[in-house]
Amino acid sequence: MATRLATPTPSDQRTAQVPGDRQTSAPPNMHGSTDDPSPSATASITPSRDTLPSVNQRSAPVTIARSAIGQMQMMPPRMLRPIKPAPPPPTVIDQPKSTTFFDLPAELRIEIYKLVLDNVIIHVLPLQSQERHCPHALVRTSRQVRNEALPIIHASCEIRAVVTDFNFGGMLAWIDRIPSQAQGYLSKNENLSIRLCTSTTNPNGDEQSLRRWLKMRADRYRAQPNWQYSGPAPNSKMANSMKRKAKRMPEEGKKHEMIKMLNAVSVVLKCECSECQS
């Protein structure tokens, strides 16, 4: 007699599992349903009581806020500083400004310098001289006064230089102390004099300083002050030595200056340069 096997129902097929396999389900879509197109899967799902937040969870923020408010009320009150009006601005008392010499206009200061330097004589001595003259007080006052007074001294004050045995070392040292941009003021001075003196101890003189002086005086691109030579007549030995040096000089400018010095000390020598011929 043949037996009939029972056919499994669809519910039994869904619950049946093969040993070793894992039951999987499709992820829900955005409407809360699965990809199963069956009518039971598309039905709306109502939330259960287990998924809603409890009463304690809903009242937690309110409890924290009430606790914070209670703690703030229990704190002692802060002592605040009373509000006061702003103090008035300090009154500035204008004190009288002190006026100094440099507050005067430059033109007025120059006129004061000229009055102070009136009848002032500047002496330029040889290097081997034992006599020393102190510089003028204006030159030692301050740097600004020195820079303002030196041009007036070089342009208007009488300057007397002494040269012994044609040794211009002291004269050259004094000129070197004058800035190059200020040496032009000497050309405006009409009271420049050089006194030439001779001695028996050194009849030949200092040839190196003499050559340097003649070279500086023969420079056409240099402002040349109007130095006036004077002095007693030298002895015959020095006069003849200076004559020979003047005649042998090849440069016209140096020769003209040398003959000018010799004629000033009564050593007559005719100059044949173009300046004297004209």
Side-chain angles (χ1 to χ4, degrees):
M1 179 175 170
T3 59
R4 188 177 179 179
L5 298 175
T7 304
T9 61
S11 61
D12 296 336
Q13 292 179 358
R14 287 198 297 269
T15 57
Q17 294 183 358
V18 179
D21 293 343
R22 182 177 298 176
Q23 184 179 3
T24 59
S25 61
N29 54 17
M30 62 182 295
H31 298 288
S33 63
T34 60
D35 295 337
D36 190 0
S38 60
S40 61
T42 57
S44 61
I45 301 174
T46 58
S48 63
R49 185 179 296 273
D50 297 334
T51 59
L52 295 175
S54 62
V55 177
N56 295 333
Q57 292 179 352
R58 291 197 301 267
S59 62
V62 179
T63 306
I64 295 174
R66 290 178 178 176
S67 177
I69 295 174
Q71 291 180 2
M72 293 177 60
Q73 293 177 354
M74 294 175 62
M75 293 176 60
R78 295 173 56 185
M79 299 300 296
L80 300 178
R81 185 177 60 182
I83 300 176
K84 296 181 180 180
T91 56
V92 180
I93 301 175
D94 296 335
Q95 297 181 355
K97 183 180 178 181
S98 59
T99 304
T100 63
F101 178 73
F102 298 107
D103 294 331
L104 300 175
E107 296 80 3
L108 186 57
R109 295 200 303 268
I110 290 175
E111 294 298 327
I112 295 175
Y113 295 147
K114 289 181 179 180
L115 293 176
V116 175
L117 295 173
D118 191 20
N119 298 326
V120 173
I121 300 176
I122 307 300
H123 296 273
V124 182
L125 303 177
L127 295 178
Q128 62 272 15
S129 177
Q130 300 296 331
E131 185 179 359
R132 290 289 181 269
H133 291 276
C134 185
H136 198 274
L138 283 178
V139 181
R140 298 176 295 162
T141 302
S142 66
R143 181 177 298 180
Q144 183 174 353
V145 174
R146 176 185 175 89
N147 295 335
E148 294 176 354
L150 278 179
I152 301 174
I153 293 175
H154 297 151
S156 59
C157 292
E158 183 179 357
I159 301 176
R160 299 178 183 177
V162 178
V163 176
T164 304
D165 296 332
F166 294 92
N167 185 355
F168 288 84
M171 189 70 184
L172 294 172
W174 178 76
I175 294 178
D176 290 340
R177 288 195 296 267
I178 303 175
S180 58
Q181 66 271 14
Q183 293 183 7
Y185 292 103
L186 292 174
S187 59
K188 302 178 182 180
N189 198 334
E190 299 179 357
N191 299 316
L192 304 177
S193 61
I194 298 177
R195 183 169 180 81
L196 301 173
C197 303
T198 58
S199 62
T200 57
T201 57
N202 188 14
N204 295 326
D206 187 3
E207 296 184 0
Q208 183 177 0
S209 63
L210 178 60
R211 286 196 297 266
R212 185 184 170 191
W213 173 259
L214 294 176
K215 181 180 179 180
M216 184 182 67
R217 294 290 293 170
D219 190 359
R220 296 180 179 180
Y221 302 98
R222 188 187 184 100
Q224 298 296 339
N226 187 20
W227 292 101
Q228 300 294 329
Y229 300 102
S230 63
N235 53 50
S236 58
K237 186 176 181 179
M238 177 168 284
N240 295 331
S241 176
M242 292 295 108
K243 277 185 178 181
R244 289 192 298 268
K245 290 181 181 179
K247 291 179 181 179
R248 294 173 183 174
M249 287 183 179
E251 298 183 19
E252 184 176 331
K254 294 181 179 179
K255 187 175 183 178
H256 171 76
E257 191 69 19
M258 187 67 184
I259 294 176
K260 181 180 178 180
M261 288 190 292
L262 293 178
N263 291 336
V265 293
S266 303
V267 179
V268 181
L269 189 63
K270 187 177 180 181
C271 182
E272 297 178 357
C273 63
S274 59
E275 183 178 353
C276 296
Q277 291 291 338
S278 59

